[in-house]
Amino acid sequence: MSASSNTGVSRLASPPAPGTSPFVNTLLGEERSASLHRALDGLDAQTLQWLSGYIAGLAARAPLSAPTAVPTPAPQAVPETVLTIVYGTQTGNSRLLAERLQRQAEASGLKTRLLRTGEYPVREIQKERLLYVVISTQGDGDPPDDARGFVDFISSKRAPRLEQLRFAVLGLGDTSYPKYCEVSRALDARLTELGAKRWVERADCDVDFEPVAAGWLDQAVAKAKEALVPQDTGSVVMLPRNSPAAAPAFGRDAPYTAEVLTNQRITGRGALKDVRHIELSLGDSGLSYEPGDSLGIWPENPPALVEAFLSELRLEGSAELTRDGRTLPLKQWLETELELTRLSRPFLERHATLSGNADLQAILAPGGGEKFRALLASHQIIDVLRAWPAAWNAQELVRALRRLTPRMYSIASSQKRVGAEAHLTVAECV
Ligand SMILES: Cc1cc2nc3c(=O)[nH]c(=O)nc-3n(C[C@H](O)[C@H](O)[C@H](O)COP(=O)(O)O)c2cc1C
């Protein structure tokens, strides 16, 4: 039978007999519905049409009363046994942590579903029971591009009351920005305002997110187990992905040493900017990427900058120092482990105390917003050490500087075309 003849059949089919229609049963009750069925049984089409007009006339004359409530189906709640994890990311850090959260939760016997903020149907939030959000702050305190719709909806007047919801927020940011973790802070506050219950205290992570994030993930999974009944992870559940992504062999914490295949200047000789086309081999790392992904490169600090630190602070590069259970000479900490360029508020606050300088302390005081912003934009750490000298001891310095983190570059190639390579376009900053 063709599709069109099927359509014809369904148009001519009789409506369900009143007594068998769940809608009529709900409206009239079972007894009246059965009487109606008996009264109409066997009537021809013409009589039925006349009756429908007659009933419409009765309805027009009847006093207007509150319409009988026709129960609408209750919104389908996301099962109480499911933890929904949503992440908003620009350069992939929040995704890494969200995937880790999913792996840990599933290993504890919990059902999860993991979605990008951009693919999360925002209106579903009113059916959600347990929602964890991992989200970074970008721009000048803005959400990642992909998370704009999600954040805008929750911040807007259209957002529903969320009394049924338990939630937790993990924020990613950078203390060298004036609006540190603005998005996670605002989201956490707004969800509470909408009546949702904060199930785990929010944590905000600086660029070296590992220490804070690791503790938060453990706590978040333990709390999720309190809220949800652990399930046999083998059973069926509505998950957009079939199973949590396995931890990749190489990644942020296990970097791959890639060979540089090409490093070619693409700006003309006379051009002021030195822009380069770089091709990296991904070899047999198994690393894969999608259009729009970023590649993280672990940098090392230039030896001249390390020497400048040592001489400015009058410290010995050979001094053995410990941080996070690792002991290395100061020179090595400065060369390969610690951030020596971008300022952060915690470092500046400690430096202001050590230097005892009133000007610097004023810049950091609550009213010094614009000056603080200007300082971050115009100074690197070495400039601050020179402008406001302070007596740092080596151990305290190693603890106060932030860990080096990968520099993120947008990938300029498609893996479909270049296979196990990644191409970047990089401009030298001077
Ligand atoms: C262009 C740019 C702007 C940023 N703006 C902020 C900001 O305003 N506040 C903040 O706390 N962090 C800011 N960050 C830092 C990121 O939030 C941080 O690097 C985070 O780890 C990124 O996580 P993601 O990879 O999940 O996006 C900014 C980073 C970049 C590259």
Side-chain angles (χ1 to χ4, degrees):
M1 194 185 287
S2 73
S4 58
S5 61
N6 256 334
T7 311
V9 168
S10 84
R11 244 192 286 126
L12 292 176
S14 319
T20 60
S21 156
F23 177 76
V24 175
N25 270 346
T26 311
L27 201 62
L28 301 180
E30 221 153 66
E31 205 178 311
R32 276 187 162 186
S33 167
S35 311
L36 181 65
H37 180 46
R38 275 197 303 278
L40 300 179
D41 196 19
L43 296 181
D44 61 29
Q46 212 177 354
T47 314
L48 282 171
Q49 264 168 12
W50 180 86
L51 269 175
S52 77
Y54 173 68
I55 292 168
L58 286 181
R61 272 185 278 135
L64 204 60
S65 59
T68 312
V70 178
T72 47
Q76 271 285 299
V78 175
E80 294 198 22
T81 51
V82 173
L83 161 64
T84 299
I85 304 166
V86 174
Y87 63 87
T89 188
Q90 198 74 33
T91 51
N93 294 336
S94 305
R95 189 185 74 200
L96 284 182
L97 291 176
E99 286 175 352
R100 218 164 104 188
L101 177 59
Q102 184 188 37
R103 281 197 297 276
Q104 284 186 220
E106 296 252 332
S108 302
L110 297 173
K111 289 286 185 202
T112 64
R113 60 178 193 146
L114 176 71
L115 300 107
R116 288 189 294 108
T117 35
E119 68 185 353
Y120 182 74
V122 279
R123 291 185 188 275
E124 218 168 79
I125 197 167
Q126 60 193 311
K127 306 170 203 161
E128 208 71 70
R129 299 294 170 170
L130 185 62
L131 175 72
Y132 285 179
V133 183
V134 183
I135 194 163
S136 69
T137 297
Q138 296 293 322
D140 186 19
D142 305 317
D145 293 337
D146 178 63
R148 277 176 197 278
F150 178 80
V151 171
D152 286 354
F153 177 76
I154 290 173
S155 317
S156 76
K157 286 187 192 149
R158 282 173 297 138
R161 295 292 304 164
L162 294 173
E163 266 90 11
Q164 90 297 345
L165 181 69
R166 291 163 173 174
F167 77 95
V169 177
L170 178 65
L172 276 83
D174 182 337
T175 47
S176 61
Y177 284 88
K179 293 186 179 169
Y180 175 56
C181 282
E182 177 76 10
V183 171
S184 51
R185 193 195 51 70
L187 192 64
D188 181 72
R190 176 66 176 152
L191 287 170
T192 316
E193 194 178 76
L194 292 170
K197 186 172 173 54
R198 185 183 293 113
W199 197 235
V200 184
E201 280 303 312
R202 186 186 89 246
D204 291 332
C205 307
D206 202 351
V207 279
D208 174 22
F209 51 74
E210 184 55 31
V212 174
W216 189 90
L217 294 183
D218 289 347
Q219 197 198 352
V221 171
K223 287 289 287 180
K225 280 170 77 176
E226 270 177 40
L228 305 176
V229 189
Q231 297 289 300
D232 166 14
T233 44
S235 62
V236 179
V237 71
M238 37 165 298
L239 292 175
R241 296 178 185 188
N242 290 337
S243 58
F250 291 104
R252 191 179 192 279
D253 298 320
Y256 176 72
T257 306
E259 188 185 345
V260 178
L261 301 172
T262 303
N263 176 356
Q264 189 180 1
R265 185 181 164 122
I266 53 175
T267 38
R269 275 209 193 121
L272 288 177
K273 270 209 154 201
D274 182 358
V275 180
R276 284 170 185 268
H277 172 74
I278 311 261
E279 295 182 4
L280 301 172
S281 165
L282 300 180
D284 55 4
S285 65
L287 287 168
S288 62
Y289 59 87
E290 300 284 336
D293 279 359
S294 302
L295 185 82
I297 307 249
W298 283 95
E300 290 191 2
N301 290 311
L305 182 60
V306 173
E307 284 309 322
F309 263 68
L310 293 173
S311 77
E312 198 61 46
L313 296 171
R314 298 195 176 84
L315 295 173
E316 279 298 324
S318 56
E320 295 275 323
L321 302 158
T322 302
R323 173 171 166 168
D324 302 331
R326 292 170 70 215
T327 302
L328 300 171
L330 174 59
K331 191 155 181 271
Q332 192 177 339
W333 278 115
L334 298 180
E335 273 172 2
T336 60
E337 307 295 319
L338 300 173
E339 170 68 61
L340 301 191
T341 53
R342 301 198 66 175
L343 285 165
S344 69
R345 181 176 268 279
F347 179 86
L348 273 170
E349 281 171 351
R350 186 67 194 133
H351 188 77
T353 306
L354 287 176
S355 71
N357 186 286
D359 290 344
L360 188 54
Q361 283 164 354
I363 292 174
L364 293 168
E370 270 317 306
K371 285 186 181 166
F372 175 58
R373 206 179 261 271
L375 179 73
L376 292 179
S378 60
H379 284 60
Q380 293 197 349
I381 300 176
I382 189 71
D383 304 321
V384 168
L385 298 183
R386 286 175 178 150
W388 297 282
W392 282 91
N393 78 52
Q395 182 63 72
E396 194 178 5
L397 181 74
V398 163
R399 296 229 169 99
L401 290 169
R402 296 189 300 170
R403 296 296 301 258
L404 262 180
T405 51
R407 305 294 194 243
M408 306 307 291
Y409 296 91
S410 298
I411 300 177
S413 53
S414 152
Q415 206 163 13
K416 281 201 189 108
R417 273 200 52 164
V418 302
E421 292 181 16
H423 298 183
L424 308 175
T425 306
V426 178
E428 191 190 20
C429 300
V430 260

